[in-house]
Amino acid sequence: MSYTAFLKSLSTAFGIGLLGVPLLIYGVRSFQRPPQTNLERSLFQGVAYKREYRPVPRPLMLHIVTIDLNAPGIRVLVTPGTPASDQRETNARTPSEFLNEFNLQLAINANFFYPFREKTPWDYYPHSGDRVNAVGQAISNQLPYSSPQSSFPALCFSDRPLAQIGVGGTCPDGTAQAVAGSSLLVSQGKPVPIPKGAADSNGLYSRTGVGLDQQGKKIWIVAIDDKQPFYSEGVTLEELAGIFVSLGVYNALNLDGGGSTTLAISTSTGPQLLNAPIHTKVPMRERPVANHLGFYALPAERGK
């Protein structure tokens, strides 16, 4: 073989190797995803978890957390805002980073946010620490930092805590913690028709939603994964509303979804992801987001 031919072969092999790296990363990460098996267990006092695999109408991984707000030790925290002269409201964090920073037991992503860019695994915004804005009402420890928007219903918590949804986007006086979502999914136990043209309403996406009972004393969190063929391929907003209705919720709200959908809990060895987020098309990679909804809880009682 001539030297020129050798260099050409070497270059070809190198190119094939580079192309194989993303596939290798995707494959390794895929094995880290939660298994497609059903599971029910107590996470903490007053906090229960259910994982459900549904093969129809397409592969779906559902993650359902129920929280009794009256249980001992349950407290709510929304990511604090840090408004500054740059006109941004928060420093982006992944849900696991939020969980660690504030010593929480459970955390999910919350408001839609901007600016946002996702082009490649290395070209995206925000990274952790970058400055961003939440869309709609956001309150942490009674301090508002993002203004309400009438088209973004708010999930509002009092200090007791009790929860309610502000359909007009505004929380009542005395609200301690609040986040906002894009669409009311369920009202008084019935699905709410999704407005035509609503963003992402008909697409199959990862979804994060929160449902309440009529008294505002019980919460259901539903996280569904997407864009992972043969594993979990996402749902429409109408399908998400149907899932909440089947759970028996009174009201439900859609939060940010897609690559933002993340459900993290604390363990003795650090944060654990209960779902399979897919940020920048990389499975099990968390997206830094503007704010989060977190919960403090006591350890689960033995034998439960």
Side-chain angles (χ1 to χ4, degrees):
M1 178 184 293
S2 68
Y3 183 68
T4 302
F6 172 75
L7 288 179
K8 185 176 181 179
S9 298
L10 186 63
S11 176
T12 300
F14 182 72
I16 293 173
L18 284 179
L19 290 174
V21 169
L23 293 175
L24 178 62
I25 293 174
Y26 188 94
V28 170
R29 291 275 190 161
S30 294
F31 283 109
Q32 298 172 357
R33 299 180 300 195
Q36 290 172 301
T37 56
N38 296 338
L39 174 69
E40 292 189 47
R41 67 185 179 101
S42 174
L43 297 176
F44 310 101
Q45 287 189 41
V47 182
Y49 168 65
K50 179 180 181 180
R51 182 177 70 218
E52 182 180 344
Y53 172 66
R54 296 185 181 180
V56 292
R58 67 196 68 88
L60 292 175
M61 289 289 286
L62 277 66
H63 307 273
I64 303 168
V65 175
T66 57
I67 302 173
D68 178 1
L69 292 177
N70 284 337
I74 295 292
R75 291 185 291 127
V76 183
L77 179 69
V78 169
T79 313
T82 54
S85 59
D86 62 2
Q87 304 302 308
R88 300 289 188 233
E89 298 164 344
T90 63
N91 298 322
R93 305 168 174 85
T94 67
S96 287
E97 289 170 338
F98 172 63
L99 191 87
N100 264 346
E101 183 176 350
F102 295 95
N103 298 311
L104 293 150
Q105 276 64 59
L106 184 144
I108 61 171
N109 60 293
N111 292 50
F112 288 76
F113 65 94
Y114 67 96
F116 172 76
R117 180 183 75 249
E118 183 183 276
K119 293 185 176 180
T120 68
W122 53 88
D123 182 5
Y124 63 91
Y125 190 96
H127 292 78
S128 292
D130 286 339
R131 301 283 289 161
V132 286
N133 287 324
V135 178
Q137 181 81 83
I139 300 173
S140 178
N141 296 324
Q142 299 185 337
L143 298 175
Y145 61 86
S146 184
S147 300
Q149 296 189 24
S150 59
S151 58
F152 281 77
L155 175 64
C156 318
F157 293 89
S158 67
D159 267 333
R160 282 184 266 182
L162 288 175
Q164 63 178 293
I165 293 177
V167 177
T170 302
C171 290
D173 292 341
T175 295
Q177 317 286 337
V179 299
S182 65
S183 303
L184 187 67
L185 299 172
V186 179
S187 177
Q188 299 182 19
K190 298 180 180 180
V192 175
I194 305 300
K196 291 184 178 180
D200 301 338
S201 61
N202 295 319
L204 300 177
Y205 290 97
S206 293
R207 305 288 183 179
T208 305
V210 177
L212 310 175
D213 69 356
Q214 188 170 358
Q215 293 75 35
K217 297 179 180 180
K218 183 178 181 180
I219 294 178
W220 288 260
I221 295 171
V222 174
I224 301 174
D225 300 315
D226 80 337
K227 293 184 175 60
Q228 300 176 66
F230 310 110
Y231 179 76
S232 189
E233 300 177 12
V235 295
T236 65
L237 286 183
E238 184 177 353
E239 288 172 333
L240 179 60
I243 290 168
F244 273 116
V245 169
S246 70
L247 293 173
V249 308
Y250 189 72
N251 294 321
L253 175 66
N254 177 61
L255 300 178
D256 189 16
S260 299
T261 293
T262 308
L263 175 58
I265 62 168
S266 66
T267 72
S268 59
T269 57
Q272 176 188 346
L273 298 180
L274 294 183
N275 74 311
I278 184 161
H279 175 46
T280 65
K281 297 182 174 59
V282 178
M284 300 304 290
R285 186 182 195 186
E286 294 181 69
R287 173 181 290 168
V289 298
N291 67 352
H292 318 75
L293 177 61
F295 296 87
Y296 292 101
L298 298 175
E301 297 177 347
R302 291 186 177 182
K304 293 188 177 181

